[in-house]
């Protein structure tokens, strides 16, 4: 371990769309908040970058940006640097450093950033490292800059906090590396559940959490379960820490959590609506939906947009349908309060319009049919983003070559993962068969049909053939590979 954090096994590379500039821009428009101009030159910082997948994606999608990322694990930094070099990404740099070292570094050495993001970090590091991270944000986030903070929260993780010390202590008695220890400790907890432990009778949701954890990757389990400083926070604690850093709370990077109508039980909504204090209101929301994880957004200074400016910002938001999105009809959203029906009368025309090509919200508002109130259109757009049916479109399409180079590197791993879509400013999931097919296309853009399929391992051919027929053209249009 390094300062109580896992260091002997790498954290699996996981992509988080909520940290990407295009996503943040869209959510901030929905919230009526100003956003950094991510179409111009900007500086981006990730704290706790792991192997760097998210920062690499930002660099590939935004050649005009300067991306700077930090992690305490030297092996992860070596992997991130190797990926950046293989992809030819000269606008991304990766540095091995603790947060205490960052906080002590001279301000002129690192400069200031338009965005500072951290995922899977704040609830898993020591108090000293967390305070140092906040001190760095206080110093390095520019006025008008946005911060993204992911962490575990009460009350959703309150019961889990009772079991984590048992998992960590039991893991210490087991042989093997941290991944093997985590799996063994989790299996012990599973045997306690099967034996009728009262903890699971009193907290039935923990049995579901346990079953989900047993399906996870062992390396991810080690980093999730075994850090010595594992800790959920009350949202008020985090809001106070960011306030001390000069940042105001904006909302969640998870769109439904900004819409009480789809994230709170109906009878609780009037109670929450009557709370003027933001800390009290967010605490009540967490209680109402038993929140377990938060993706908070904060800003250094700034003010909410005036109504006219908010309408203009919304109107300029461009959306594109993602591959596989329905072309009409209603939707069903799996929300914190259960399934919510998205009426066909509302979502059907929006999906049909997006199926014809990217549209701005201003264009969607002018579609044939009954007019939509701007607030209704705003909420519908945010739900389309969250559902995976649509994604923001980059305002200025970047040259695709950096994304192709990064995708070539990612695809050559031969494993399921993510590939960068520069037209959207994000990455999309890809299966092992899709990754293998994309690797061939990036090496030889002319390869297609039976030749492409025959060049793959037999176990991958059927799925790759379906991808070629159904998605290859869409992926090329999104800049993921040559057309």
């Amino acid at each position: 371990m390094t300062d109580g954090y896992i260091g002997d096994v790498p954290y699996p590379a996981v992509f988080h769309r909520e940290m990407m500039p295009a996503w943040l821009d869209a959510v901030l428009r929905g919230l009526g908040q100003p956003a950094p101009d991510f179409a111009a030159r900007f500086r981006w910082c990730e704290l706790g970058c792991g192997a760097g997948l998210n920062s690499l994606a930002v660099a590939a999608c935004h050649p005009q940006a300067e991306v700077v990322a930090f992690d305490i694990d030297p092996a992860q930094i070596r992997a991130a640097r190797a990926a950046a070099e293989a992809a030819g990404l000269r606008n991304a740099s990766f540095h091995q450093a603790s947060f205490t070292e960052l906080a002590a570094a001279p301000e002129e050495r690192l400069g200031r950033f338009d965005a500072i993001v951290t995922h899977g970090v704040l609830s898993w590091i020591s108090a000293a490292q967390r305070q140092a991270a906040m001190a760095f944000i206080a110093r390095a986030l520019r006025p008008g800059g946005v911060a993204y903070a992911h962490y575990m929260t009460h009350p959703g993780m309150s019961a889990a906090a009772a079991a984590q010390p048992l998992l960590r202590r039991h893991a210490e008695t087991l042989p093997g590396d941290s991944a093997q220890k985590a799996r063994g400790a989790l299996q012990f907890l599973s045997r306690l559940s099967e034996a009728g432990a009262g903890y699971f009778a009193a907290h039935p949701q923990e049995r579901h959490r346990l079953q989900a954890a047993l399906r996870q990757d062992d390396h991810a389990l080690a980093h999730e379960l075994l850090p010595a400083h594992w800790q959920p926070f009350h949202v008020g604690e985090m809001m106070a820490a960011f306030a001390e850093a000069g940042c105001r709370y904006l909302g969640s990077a998870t769109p439904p959590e900004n819409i009480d109508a789809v994230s709170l039980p109906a009878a609780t909504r009037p109670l929450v609506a009557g709370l003027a204090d933001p800390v009290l209101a967010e605490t009540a929301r967490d209680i109402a939906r038993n929140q377990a994880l938060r993706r908070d957004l904060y800003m250094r200074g700034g003010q909410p947009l005036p109504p006219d400016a908010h309408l203009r910002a919304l109107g300029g938001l461009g959306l594109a349908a993602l591959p596989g999105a329905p072309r009409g009809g209603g939707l069903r959203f799996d929300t914190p309060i259960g399934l919510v029906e998205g009426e066909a009368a509302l979502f059907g025309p929006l999906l049909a319009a997006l199926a014809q090509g990217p549209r701005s919200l201003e264009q969607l508002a002018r579609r044939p049919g009954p007019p939509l109130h701007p607030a209704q259109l705003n909420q519908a757009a945010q739900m389309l983003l969250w559902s995976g049916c649509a994604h923001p479109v980059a305002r200025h399409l970047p040259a695709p070559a950096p994304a192709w180079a990064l995708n070539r590197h990612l695809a050559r791993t031969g494993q399921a993962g993510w590939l960068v879509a520069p037209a959207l400013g994000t990455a999309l999931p890809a299966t092992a068969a899709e990754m293998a097919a994309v690797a061939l296309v990036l090496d030889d853009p002319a390869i297609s049909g039976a030749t492409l399929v025959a060049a793959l391992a037999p176990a991958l051919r059927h799925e790759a053939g379906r991808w070629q027929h159904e998605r290859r053209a869409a992926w090329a249009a999104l800049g993921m590979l040559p057309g």
Side-chain angles (χ1 to χ4, degrees):
M1 287 193 178
T2 303
D3 195 16
Y5 195 71
I6 303 301
D8 63 324
V9 297
Y11 190 88
V14 180
F15 179 75
H16 303 288
R17 61 181 181 172
E18 294 87 357
M19 299 188 346
M20 296 296 287
W23 185 275
L24 294 176
D25 176 81
V27 172
L28 290 173
R29 287 171 186 249
L31 288 167
Q33 299 288 346
D37 185 358
F38 292 123
R41 293 178 60 85
F42 65 92
R43 300 190 76 228
W44 173 273
C45 177
E46 183 175 3
L47 303 179
C49 65
L53 178 60
N54 296 279
S55 289
L56 291 164
V58 174
C61 291
H62 300 276
Q64 82 282 10
E66 180 186 358
V67 177
V68 185
F70 301 93
D71 200 276
I72 198 171
D73 186 339
Q76 295 278 60
I77 291 299
R78 287 194 295 271
R81 287 173 176 169
E85 183 177 356
L89 295 175
R90 298 184 179 180
N91 61 330
S93 61
F94 296 89
H95 309 271
Q96 190 271 322
S98 68
F99 297 148
T100 51
E101 291 171 325
L102 286 185
E107 180 177 349
E108 60 272 15
R109 193 180 108 196
L110 299 176
R112 291 196 165 193
F113 298 91
D114 300 283
I116 300 177
V117 301
T118 181
H119 190 103
V121 174
L122 295 177
S123 279
W124 293 268
I125 57 176
S126 69
Q129 293 291 342
R130 188 166 49 253
Q131 290 164 4
M134 296 307 305
F136 175 78
I137 291 171
R139 188 188 73 199
L141 188 64
R142 285 176 176 163
V146 63
Y148 164 99
H150 165 270
Y151 57 96
M152 295 184 291
T153 191
H154 296 290
M157 295 300 292
S158 299
Q164 192 271 342
L166 181 144
L167 289 168
R168 183 168 57 83
R169 289 182 179 276
H170 187 71
E172 292 172 354
T173 70
L174 300 175
D177 60 24
S178 292
Q180 295 166 317
K181 291 174 180 287
R183 175 63 57 182
L186 203 64
Q187 290 171 341
F188 176 72
L189 187 62
S190 181
R191 291 194 293 273
L192 283 175
S193 173
E194 294 167 358
Y199 166 78
F200 291 100
H203 305 285
Q205 75 275 11
E206 294 308 308
R207 183 174 287 109
H208 298 299
R209 196 191 309 276
L210 172 61
Q211 293 304 316
L214 288 166
R215 296 190 293 269
Q216 283 186 259
D217 174 86
D218 288 356
H219 285 207
L221 286 176
H223 287 265
E224 167 66 28
L225 300 176
L226 301 187
H229 304 292
W230 189 101
Q231 183 180 355
F233 293 96
H234 294 283
V235 62
E237 295 175 287
M238 202 59 68
M239 292 173 74
F242 273 91
E244 290 180 9
C247 299
R248 62 188 180 91
Y249 176 74
L250 304 179
S252 173
T254 305
E257 293 173 7
N258 300 320
I259 307 172
D260 289 349
V262 298
S263 66
L264 300 182
T268 70
R269 294 169 203 161
L271 300 173
V272 173
L275 301 176
D277 174 31
V279 173
L280 181 58
E282 286 306 304
T283 303
R285 287 187 174 96
D286 283 357
I287 294 290
R289 58 187 171 223
N290 196 36
Q291 189 88 9
L293 294 168
R294 290 188 65 99
R295 297 179 178 90
D296 288 353
L297 298 177
Y298 297 88
M299 179 169 286
R300 166 64 57 75
Q303 296 291 330
L305 295 173
D308 288 350
H310 186 194
L311 286 175
R312 288 194 299 272
L314 285 175
L317 174 61
L319 300 182
L322 288 176
R327 303 176 68 88
L331 294 172
R332 300 186 78 188
F333 303 105
D334 189 5
T335 75
I337 58 172
L339 290 175
V340 172
E341 294 291 337
E343 297 179 0
L346 171 60
F347 287 97
L350 301 178
L351 291 168
L354 293 175
Q356 302 303 312
R359 298 285 189 274
S360 69
L361 260 62
E362 183 179 11
Q363 291 171 320
L364 291 174
R366 296 199 306 263
R367 86 218 180 288
L372 288 177
H373 188 279
Q376 188 180 26
L377 179 58
N378 182 18
Q379 292 188 358
Q382 297 291 318
M383 294 302 290
L384 286 172
L385 296 182
W386 177 72
S387 70
C389 291
H391 195 277
V393 181
R395 281 178 281 168
H396 299 288
L397 293 180
W404 293 351
L406 178 58
N407 284 346
R408 180 180 291 108
H409 173 77
L410 297 173
R412 283 175 175 168
T413 65
Q415 302 172 355
W418 290 265
L419 294 170
V420 174
L424 302 178
T426 193
L428 298 180
T431 67
E434 291 168 340
M435 298 281 273
V438 166
L440 292 174
V441 173
L442 287 167
D443 286 339
D444 179 9
I447 191 170
S448 64
T451 304
L452 183 149
V453 172
L456 297 171
L460 304 178
R461 290 174 183 172
H462 176 73
E463 184 178 348
R466 190 171 66 247
W467 166 82
Q468 185 170 221
H469 175 69
E470 297 177 357
R471 296 202 173 192
R472 177 174 175 172
W475 284 20
L478 295 175
M480 300 170 72
L481 66 163

